[in-house]
């Protein structure tokens, strides 16, 4: 057998050989005088031989690993060569001369482009093997900005399908399999017909998720609805069969003999049968509610699909990858009880790009421990499991969400020490006590750390607080709206000033932050001083 990597003489090999010869020579010279030496020398020799064998094995393993990497790189390189590189000279000709062209617009520095590129290349290879008429092409939009603008590529990565020169947005998934499915549907192959058990077994090797339709005949209203659904759907491969024996290879639990539709997924909840009438809209709705796993891991590539799910009540579990491994199976059991009612999503809490934006909404962006949150996308409400994230507590949390007994979560900083403060620091937890339930008038400044003009307003409020020192019925306060929330504090612009008058806290008066200190002082005097008090109007 020919060797891919022939053994080469090395200084290490020569040194070991020389050492063994010297040891053998030493053994021959000393055997006559020491009757115990043959056994001792034999042990030494065996140890050296074992060491040499171990080192050779390590070298062989390294060579095999290198060979494997080389092989993978070669396959990827070959796949990428199938994808045509567009430029200023060939783009128009390629799009005009081909019926179907799928273009990937990318930028070399874009992380998501880098993630998508190998999937795109793998899809191109598979489509070529299938004899697809689709041409796969890519464009470095940073290098050729004029071409990118001509194709209407504005972000990265962008996928566009050109059909006879007219473009349409890509709406499929981003794995190689999903790209192939979408591309075949858009180029005239919405359904794969499987006629034999062998074909079914081969199909199972390539596809992890699909819809199976069993029909006595490939005609009629039910079949037409199936085809329309297959054409309209952008993500899932549809297959059809008219043999129960063939269909059972794909869906073993099938009970029907002449009409059946079901979805198959590669997870514990593998098989789900459709029980409605065969209408395109109803079939598509069934798929929307059942196509995701019991627990979906959120990634950059599937985020759009997750957010657009019709299941508006979504539970998010944030955990380290190792911690989630032990939680996954019991979480799937919980998810099974709320199937089609609550969508369960996992995010690696160490992935800052994905986790931090969500955790910031709860004021928990620095957390590293397992957290369970929920969003009602229909009502834009958010919730937090405030007990230990055990399976039983998560289930109870979900039941509360379903019955509306879980309170909406509003983030808050820890309660501050306001001792001797001229302007009280208000947080979410103290807004009721210090503002709404206070018997006094409250002038509240609402600010954020990133607001450019907030610092000027804060200084102005501090000045006003000193000016009105001694006025017992007036309190000055401030709240950081980026870290604190309250259902009765809805602010769109920063900074904002509100006067909550005693006895009428439900209708605060908004003050202009563009007014000078003298104007504000005069307004406050008019609103909060009794008639017999002498108003100060100079600062």
């Amino acid at each position: 057998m020919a060797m891919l990597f022939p053994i080469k003489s090395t200084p290490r090999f020569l040194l070991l050989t020389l050492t063994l010869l010297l040891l053998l020579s030493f053994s021959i010279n000393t055997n006559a005088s020491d009757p115990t030496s043959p056994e001792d020398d034999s042990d030494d020799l065996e140890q050296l031989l074992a060491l040499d064998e171990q080192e050779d094995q390590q070298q062989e393993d390294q060579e095999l690993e290198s060979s494997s990497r080389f092989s993978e790189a070669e396959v990827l390189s070959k796949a990428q060569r199938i994808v045509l590189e567009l430029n200023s000279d060939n783009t128009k000709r390629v799009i005009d001369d081909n019926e179907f062209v799928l273009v990937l617009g990318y930028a070399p520095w874009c992380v998501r482009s880098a993630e998508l590129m190998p999937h795109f290349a793998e899809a191109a290879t598979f489509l070529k093997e299938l004899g697809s008429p689709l041409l796969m092409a890519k464009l470095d939009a940073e290098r050729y900005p004029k071409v990118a603008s001509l194709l209407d590529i504005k972000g990265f990565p962008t996928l566009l399908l050109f059909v006879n020169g007219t473009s349409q947005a890509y709406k499929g998934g981003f794995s190689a399999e999903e790209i192939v499915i979408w591309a075949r549907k858009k180029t005239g192959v919405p359904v794969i017909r499987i006629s034999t058990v062998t074909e079914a077994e081969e199909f199972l090797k390539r596809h992890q998720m699909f819809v199976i339709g069993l029909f006595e005949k490939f005609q009629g209203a039910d079949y037409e609805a199936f085809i329309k659904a297959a054409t309209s759907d952008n993500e899932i491969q549809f297959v059809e069969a008219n043999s129960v024996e063939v269909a059972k290879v794909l869906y073993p639990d099938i009970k029907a003999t002449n009409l059946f539709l079901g979805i198959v997924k590669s997870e514990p909840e593998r098989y789900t049968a459709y029980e409605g009438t065969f209408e395109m809209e109803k079939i598509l709705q069934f798929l929307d509610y059942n196509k995701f796993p019991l627990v979906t891991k959120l990634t950059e590539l599937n985020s759009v699909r997750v957010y657009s799910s019709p299941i508006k009540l979504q539970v998010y579990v944030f955990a380290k990858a190792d911690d989630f491994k032990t939680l996954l199976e019991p979480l799937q059991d919980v998810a099974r009880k709320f199937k089609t009612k609550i969508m369960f999503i996992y995010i690696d809490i160490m992935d800052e790009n994905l986790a931090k934006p969500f955790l910031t909404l709860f004021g928990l962006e620095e957390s590293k421990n397992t957290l369970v949150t929920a969003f009602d996308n229909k009502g834009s409400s958010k919730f937090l499991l405030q007990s230990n994230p055990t399976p039983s507590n998560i289930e109870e949390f979900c039941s509360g969400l379903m019955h509306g007994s879980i309170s909406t979560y509003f983030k808050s900083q820890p309660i501050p020490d306001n001792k001797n403060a001229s302007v009280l620091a208000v947080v979410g937890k103290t807004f009721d006590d210090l503002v709404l339930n206070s018997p006094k008038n409250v002038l509240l400044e609402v600010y954020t750390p990133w607001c450019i003009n907030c610092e000027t307003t804060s200084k102005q409020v501090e000045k006003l607080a000193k000016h009105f020192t001694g006025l017992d019925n007036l309190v000055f306060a401030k709240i950081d709206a980026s870290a604190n929330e309250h259902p009765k504090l809805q602010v769109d612009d920063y900074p904002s000033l509100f006067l909550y008058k005693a006895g009428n806290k439900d209708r605060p008066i908004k003050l202009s932050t563009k007014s000078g200190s003298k104007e504000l002082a005069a307004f406050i005097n008019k609103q909060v001083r009794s008639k017999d008090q002498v108003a100060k109007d100079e600062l």
Side-chain angles (χ1 to χ4, degrees), residues 450-462:
W450 42 261
C451 164
I452 297 174
N453 298 319
C454 284
E455 186 176 353
T456 300
T457 300
S458 293
K459 290 178 179 179
Q460 196 173 38
V461 171
E462 291 279 357

Side-chain angles (χ1 to χ4, degrees), residues 403-418:
H403 294 98
S405 60
I406 301 293
S407 299
T408 303
Y409 179 83
F410 295 96
K411 64 182 176 180
S412 173
Q413 291 175 303
I415 297 176
D417 181 5
N418 282 314

Side-chain angles (χ1 to χ4, degrees), residues 90-98 101 103 151 162 164-165:
N90 67 0
T91 299
K92 188 176 186 305
R93 184 180 70 254
V94 168
I95 291 175
D96 289 346
D97 292 353
N98 292 275
V101 183
V103 176
L151 300 183
F162 289 85
N164 293 319

Side-chain angles (χ1 to χ4, degrees), residues 257-514:
T257 57
N258 60 355
L259 182 64
F260 174 82
L261 187 147
I263 185 171
V264 180
K265 296 176 290 185
S266 59
E267 62 149 353
E269 200 75 2
R270 184 164 173 76
Y271 304 103
T272 306
Y274 175 67
E275 297 177 351
T277 56
F278 276 60
E279 299 174 30
M280 182 190 75
E281 293 298 332
K282 290 185 177 180
I283 292 173
L284 292 175
Q285 186 179 46
F286 164 76
L287 297 181
D288 280 341
Y289 278 87
N290 290 278
K291 64 186 176 184
F292 286 102
L294 288 172
V295 180
T296 300
K297 180 180 180 181
L298 187 73
T299 66
E300 292 280 1
L301 295 179
N302 72 4
S303 58
V304 174
R305 294 170 56 210
V306 170
Y307 302 150
S308 62
S309 169
I311 304 176
K312 297 305 179 185
L313 195 54
Q314 300 182 343
V315 168
Y316 285 73
V317 178
F318 299 86
K320 295 177 182 176
D322 289 341
D323 295 337
F324 185 70
K325 288 178 183 178
T326 59
L327 183 60
L328 175 58
E329 190 170 335
L331 186 61
Q332 288 174 330
D333 292 336
V334 174
R336 192 174 285 109
K337 297 175 182 179
F338 299 94
K339 190 177 178 184
T340 74
K341 301 294 189 296
I342 298 177
M343 186 174 184
F344 288 77
I345 299 158
Y346 160 64
I347 301 179
D348 185 344
I349 201 167
M350 304 306 291
D351 186 337
E352 287 200 0
N353 289 334
L354 288 174
K356 198 164 186 176
F358 285 98
L359 296 176
T360 300
L361 296 175
F362 292 84
L364 299 169
E365 55 269 29
E366 301 304 322
S367 179
K368 297 294 183 257
N369 298 320
T370 300
L371 295 169
V372 178
T373 69
F375 293 90
D376 183 350
N377 293 336
K378 185 182 293 184
S380 301
S381 301
K382 61 180 184 286
F383 309 87
L384 174 69
L385 174 63
Q386 304 200 43
S387 57
N388 291 332
T390 62
S392 60
N393 285 342
I394 294 174
E395 183 175 346
E396 184 179 350
F397 177 66
C398 292
S399 295
L401 291 171
M402 291 292 299
H403 294 98
S405 60
I406 301 293
S407 299
T408 303
Y409 179 83
F410 295 96
K411 64 182 176 180
S412 173
Q413 291 175 303
I415 297 176
D417 181 5
N418 282 314
K419 187 177 181 180
N420 300 324
S422 59
V423 179
L424 301 181
V426 177
V427 297
K429 296 175 182 177
T430 62
F431 189 86
D432 283 328
D433 291 339
L434 297 182
V435 179
L436 298 182
N437 299 333
S438 172
K440 300 182 180 182
N441 300 288
V442 180
L443 183 76
L444 180 69
E445 173 200 356
V446 186
Y447 72 95
T448 65
W450 42 261
C451 164
I452 297 174
N453 298 319
C454 284
E455 186 176 353
T456 300
T457 300
S458 293
K459 290 178 179 179
Q460 196 173 38
V461 171
E462 291 279 357
K463 192 175 181 181
L464 287 167
K466 291 178 181 178
H467 175 67
F468 285 98
T469 299
L471 191 60
D472 293 338
N473 70 337
L474 177 63
V475 173
F476 287 83
K478 61 183 179 180
I479 186 169
D480 179 355
S482 70
N484 300 279
E485 297 172 327
H486 191 277
K488 291 190 176 180
L489 182 67
Q490 304 296 326
V491 181
D492 296 324
D493 57 327
Y494 308 103
S496 286
L497 288 175
F498 295 96
L499 178 62
Y500 289 81
K501 293 188 68 173
N504 191 18
K505 296 295 179 75
D506 290 335
R507 301 181 66 182
I509 302 170
K510 188 171 184 180
L511 285 69
S512 172
T513 56
K514 295 181 180 179

